[in-house]
Amino acid sequence: GYRNAELSDAIPIEGGGDAQGRIGYKIINPLDVKPANTYQVSFEDTMITGSMFSATFATKSITVVNVTDPSKPVTIIDKDPNVQTGGILPIEDGFQLRLINMDEMRLDSINSVWSNDSVYAFTLDRFRYSRTEGVPMAHDYLIEFGELGFGTATELVVSSTRTLPAMDVDFKVTNLTTGEPVQFGFWERDFLAGEEGKFTGFTDRTRTDEIIFVEPNEQDSLVITWDFQFDAAVAGDTTKRNPRPGESVLVKMLKPFMAKDVYEFTTTGQRIASAEVDLDRIKVVPNPYIVANSWEPLNPYANGRGPRELHFTHLPEECTIRIFNIRGQLVQEIHHQAESIVDGTAIWDMQSKDLLDIAYGVYIYHVDAGDAGVKIGKFAVVK
C-alpha cells in the first residue's frame, strides 16, 4: 500500500499558461517532501535581438516559492538561469523540477498553415519601419478572408512621415489565445488598380501587402506588434496564388515560459494506502525459528543465551498481531503502529503475555489490519 511522495500538475494562475513548455519533476528524497504544501513557479523573460526584423523573447530565469503560508513565503529557488530543456535545477524539499521549454518565441512553421495550400507561403516578423518597432506577443492568430468589406483596417501611424489610412479590406484577424478581434493597419505595397483593400502579393513579382497587428500590452495600451506578409522567397512561384473568400490562415507561435506565466502545484508526502495493503506479503522471520540463530544479538551477560527475536515483516502501517498455541490459547498480543512510513516490521521477544519464554512447537498468528483485512499464518519454534 506504499505510495511515493508526488507533486500535482502545475496549474497556471494570474492569466498565464500560454507557454508550450512543460513543468515536470523527479522525487529525489521522499522523506524531505513536505505533505500538503503549495509552491508557486514564476519566470523572467528577456528580449533577444538579431537582424533587423528578428527580435524575440526567451526565458531568462525561474523562481520557486513555498506559499503554503502566504504571510511567510519561502523562496527555495531564486532566479535560476537553467531554464532550457535539460537544464539542471537544484534539489529542494526532496524534489527536483524538470523543464521542457522553447529556446525562444518564434513562428511555429509546422502548425501554421493555410486552409488551402495553393496560397503563397507567408512570414510573420516583429514590425519595424523607420524608428517604429513592434513588440512581439505570445499569441496565436486566425486570419480569415472574404469579400471586400469583410474587415476594416484602422488608421495607423508607422513613422513621422507615413500614416496608413483606414479602409475596408477583405480580411479580419482574431487572437485565438484571447478570443478577441485584433485591430490592424493595412499597408498596400502590392498596388493593383481596382483591387484596393485586397490582400495580395507579387503582382509586379516583387512586392507584398502587409497586415500590421495592433494589440493591447500589459498596461492595456495599444501597440504595434507583428507584421504579416507573403514570403518574398516564393515570389516567382507560379503554382501559388493570393487567398480567396472563405479561406483562412492559422498562425501559431512557439512560446517559451515568460514573465506572465505563473504556476502553482502542491506536494503530497509519502504515505500508505491502507485499503490496498497486500497482506499476503506478511512473513515471520525466521521460520522455523531455531535456537541460537546467528542473527540474534550477542548475550550481554557472562553466560547463558542472549535475548530471542522473531520478526513480523511487511506489516501495514497499523495492525494487531495475536499469537496462539495449537490449542487456541492466546500467547501474546502485539500492537503495531509504524513510527515511519518505511517501518513495516514488528519484533517479538518470544515471551508470553505472562512474561515467560515460550515453549518449542507450532504457533498460529493472526494479523488484524482493520478495513484492509486479516492474515493468518503459522510458524514453528525448533529446539
Side-chain angles (χ1 to χ4, degrees):
Y2 174 79
R3 292 291 179 267
N4 196 12
E6 59 185 357
L7 277 59
S8 69
D9 291 338
I11 305 299
I13 61 173
E14 298 182 4
D18 296 333
Q20 289 170 293
R22 296 290 182 269
I23 302 175
Y25 68 92
K26 182 177 182 179
I27 299 297
I28 305 299
N29 186 352
L31 294 174
D32 288 344
V33 176
K34 303 178 186 299
N37 271 228
T38 301
Y39 296 80
Q40 196 170 94
V41 183
S42 60
F43 299 89
E44 286 185 309
D45 56 50
T46 185
M47 176 77 80
I48 300 175
T49 56
S51 61
M52 180 176 177
F53 284 94
S54 62
T56 185
F57 283 107
T59 312
K60 182 179 180 181
S61 70
I62 180 175
T63 295
V64 182
V65 181
N66 188 325
V67 295
T68 306
D69 183 351
S71 65
K72 297 178 180 178
V74 179
T75 300
I76 63 171
I77 298 178
D78 188 18
K79 297 183 179 179
D80 194 300
N82 292 300
V83 290
Q84 298 306 321
T85 301
I88 300 176
L89 292 169
I91 300 168
E92 299 290 345
D93 289 353
F95 61 85
Q96 181 183 46
L97 292 184
R98 306 287 181 91
L99 297 181
I100 297 177
N101 194 17
M102 307 297 108
D103 56 351
E104 63 179 18
M105 183 172 65
R106 64 182 184 275
L107 182 69
D108 183 349
S109 57
I110 295 177
N111 295 303
S112 297
V113 294
W114 285 96
S115 59
N116 189 321
D117 60 9
S118 296
V119 182
Y120 292 117
F122 68 89
T123 63
L124 185 81
D125 290 297
R126 182 176 68 110
F127 178 80
R128 186 168 182 176
Y129 177 76
S130 185
R131 296 185 178 181
T132 301
E133 296 185 1
V135 179
M137 293 284 186
H139 297 149
D140 298 329
Y141 305 92
L142 180 67
I143 305 177
E144 300 171 278
F145 291 84
E147 301 293 342
L148 188 63
F150 184 62
T152 304
T154 189
E155 182 179 283
L156 184 62
V157 177
V158 295
S159 75
S160 59
T161 60
R162 183 176 295 277
T163 299
L164 305 179
M167 65 172 70
D168 289 337
V169 294
D170 66 340
F171 59 87
K172 60 183 179 182
V173 183
T174 301
N175 183 327
L176 294 180
T177 305
T178 65
E180 298 293 328
V182 176
Q183 293 188 44
F184 54 85
F186 182 53
W187 195 337
E188 196 157 27
R189 288 179 175 268
D190 182 56
F191 183 76
L192 182 62
E195 299 292 325
E196 294 88 348
K198 291 186 177 181
F199 183 76
T200 60
F202 314 131
T203 300
D204 62 357
R205 299 294 181 185
T206 59
R207 294 180 179 272
T208 168
D209 292 340
E210 297 180 28
I211 303 173
I212 303 165
F213 296 4
V214 182
E215 303 178 74
N217 60 15
E218 293 182 355
Q219 290 73 42
D220 209 29
S221 298
L222 289 175
V223 295
I224 293 174
T225 60
W226 297 108
D227 181 11
F228 178 92
Q229 56 183 286
F230 289 128
D231 188 350
V234 299
D237 189 349
T238 58
T239 66
K240 302 296 183 179
R241 58 169 174 78
N242 294 315
R244 295 171 180 170
E247 295 178 337
S248 62
V249 59
L250 176 64
V251 182
K252 295 184 72 67
M253 305 299 296
L254 291 174
K255 312 176 192 73
F257 291 111
M258 299 178 66
K260 68 175 181 176
D261 296 310
V262 181
Y263 298 80
E264 275 191 358
F265 64 87
T266 57
T267 54
T268 302
Q270 58 180 353
R271 62 208 182 279
I272 291 291
S274 296
E276 300 179 20
V277 170
D278 185 2
L279 297 181
D280 289 336
R281 297 183 66 232
I282 296 175
K283 304 289 184 186
V284 175
V285 180
N287 188 11
Y289 176 89
I290 301 174
V291 173
N293 273 299
S294 61
W295 71 315
E296 292 181 333
L298 296 175
N299 182 5
Y301 307 105
N303 51 54
R305 62 161 291 108
R308 296 190 291 180
E309 288 186 357
L310 201 65
H311 292 207
F312 294 85
T313 63
H314 302 298
L315 295 172
E317 190 173 16
E318 186 173 356
C319 63
T320 299
I321 305 168
R322 295 181 177 89
I323 301 164
F324 301 89
N325 60 27
I326 57 175
R327 291 182 292 178
Q329 296 172 319
L330 178 64
V331 175
Q332 183 58 281
E333 183 172 290
I334 303 169
H335 297 284
H336 170 74
Q337 185 164 4
E339 295 183 359
S340 72
I341 198 73
V342 295
D343 180 13
T345 299
I347 299 175
W348 180 36
D349 61 7
M350 302 182 70
Q351 288 191 332
S352 71
K353 55 187 176 61
D354 298 320
L355 302 181
L356 299 174
D357 288 339
I358 63 170
Y360 308 118
V362 177
Y363 292 84
I364 307 297
Y365 68 90
H366 176 280
V367 180
D368 183 355
D371 293 339
V374 299
K375 166 69 183 291
I376 298 174
K378 60 185 177 180
F379 62 90
V381 178
V382 179
K383 183 175 182 180

